[in-house]
Amino acid sequence: MANTATLTDISAVTASPSPDLLTPDNCAVLFIDHQPQMFFGTGSGDRTAIINATVGLAKAAKTFDVPTVLSTVAAESFSGPLLPPLAAVFPGQEIVDRTSMNAWEDVPFVEAVKATGRKKLVIAGLWTEVCVVLPTLSALAQGYEVYVVTDASGGVSPQAHEHAVQRMVQAGAVPVTWLQVLLEFQRDWARTETYGAVTDVVKEHGGAYGLGLVYAHAVIGEHAAG
């Protein structure tokens, strides 16, 4: 009898995931200032890797139909257009252009976030120490939960990036990576409706893990687990 009760308890627990988990139904993804001029000044990590992570995150949001807000700063006068591979994931979507470094001080941006109806915000942007940290602190102060995608963000130096991440964590933000977000959305390889799209994103942007999936699918078959 004791063993049966234990199994029942375990089943009840696994059927009720933690409210802290990100799901396609409880969050919005915000991309802030992934623009040429901002990339020129990014020195915290490999810029190609940041671009790869950014586009991977975008495809994760697109695959699961997660509300997404795209924003730029001074696109026509200084920073240039939104990263083309990022814009290509969301063709025709409005891009909120601002003059303020803190996106949360821009009314159209905040209205776009509020229109998603989500209280969990997944944020990535350039630079970490300005255009990510400022809206993150502002959103936290207004009761939002913020998850910062650190590998899809970059600062002017490693110290600037790391100190900004530390500051946000101390304020209550949660650091994540783009692949973590994608797999947290999927969470079960038996979800066949998104399995193919998720594995395609991993193959294209997941580095060695993606190559592993290519190999597994070639040797084992298309239904090999991720």
Side-chain angles (χ1 to χ4, degrees), residues 14-40:
T14 56
S16 302
S18 167
D20 292 330
L21 294 177
L22 293 170
T23 74
D25 299 322
N26 70 9
C27 70
V29 180
L30 317 182
F31 293 92
I32 303 176
D33 304 349
H34 291 92
Q35 300 166 261
Q37 184 63 37
M38 307 306 293
F39 273 107
F40 295 159

Side-chain angles (χ1 to χ4, degrees), residues 1-218:
M1 294 296 292
N3 289 338
T4 301
T6 300
L7 290 173
T8 301
D9 291 343
I10 292 174
S11 177
V13 170
T14 56
S16 302
S18 167
D20 292 330
L21 294 177
L22 293 170
T23 74
D25 299 322
N26 70 9
C27 70
V29 180
L30 317 182
F31 293 92
I32 303 176
D33 304 349
H34 291 92
Q35 300 166 261
Q37 184 63 37
M38 307 306 293
F39 273 107
F40 295 159
T42 297
S44 61
D46 180 71
R47 284 172 285 190
T48 300
I50 296 173
I51 291 172
N52 178 71
T54 300
V55 178
L57 177 65
K59 291 181 179 179
K62 182 74 170 181
T63 295
F64 288 92
D65 198 25
V66 177
T68 302
V69 177
L70 308 175
S71 187
T72 55
V73 62
E76 295 186 3
S77 62
F78 179 71
S79 299
L82 189 70
L83 179 69
L86 171 57
V89 178
F90 306 103
Q93 180 166 327
E94 180 181 0
I95 300 170
V96 181
D97 191 48
R98 320 176 321 275
T99 59
S100 62
M101 285 181 268
N102 181 0
W104 212 262
E105 295 177 7
D106 183 82
V107 172
F109 178 86
V110 176
E111 288 180 344
V113 173
K114 290 182 176 179
T116 68
R118 307 295 171 83
K119 296 297 289 186
K120 293 180 185 287
L121 306 180
V122 178
I123 299 180
L126 306 177
W127 297 319
T128 320
E129 67 272 26
V130 184
C131 300
V132 176
V133 72
L134 298 181
T136 291
L137 296 178
S138 296
L140 287 168
Q142 293 189 17
Y144 287 85
E145 297 177 43
V146 179
Y147 299 76
V148 180
V149 189
T150 58
D151 57 351
S153 303
V156 298
S157 68
Q159 293 86 352
H161 176 77
E162 291 302 325
H163 293 170
V165 171
Q166 290 174 12
R167 183 181 180 188
M168 290 183 284
V169 169
Q170 289 172 358
V174 179
V176 294
T177 62
W178 82 267
L179 186 57
Q180 177 183 350
V181 173
L182 173 68
L183 298 182
E184 198 159 329
F185 286 164
Q186 177 70 16
R187 238 182 16 258
D188 188 339
W189 292 117
R191 291 176 177 167
T192 56
E193 66 274 15
T194 51
Y195 175 88
V198 167
T199 54
D200 284 345
V201 174
V202 173
K203 289 175 185 177
E204 187 172 0
H205 299 281
Y209 176 35
L211 287 176
L213 280 185
V214 171
Y215 173 80
H217 288 166

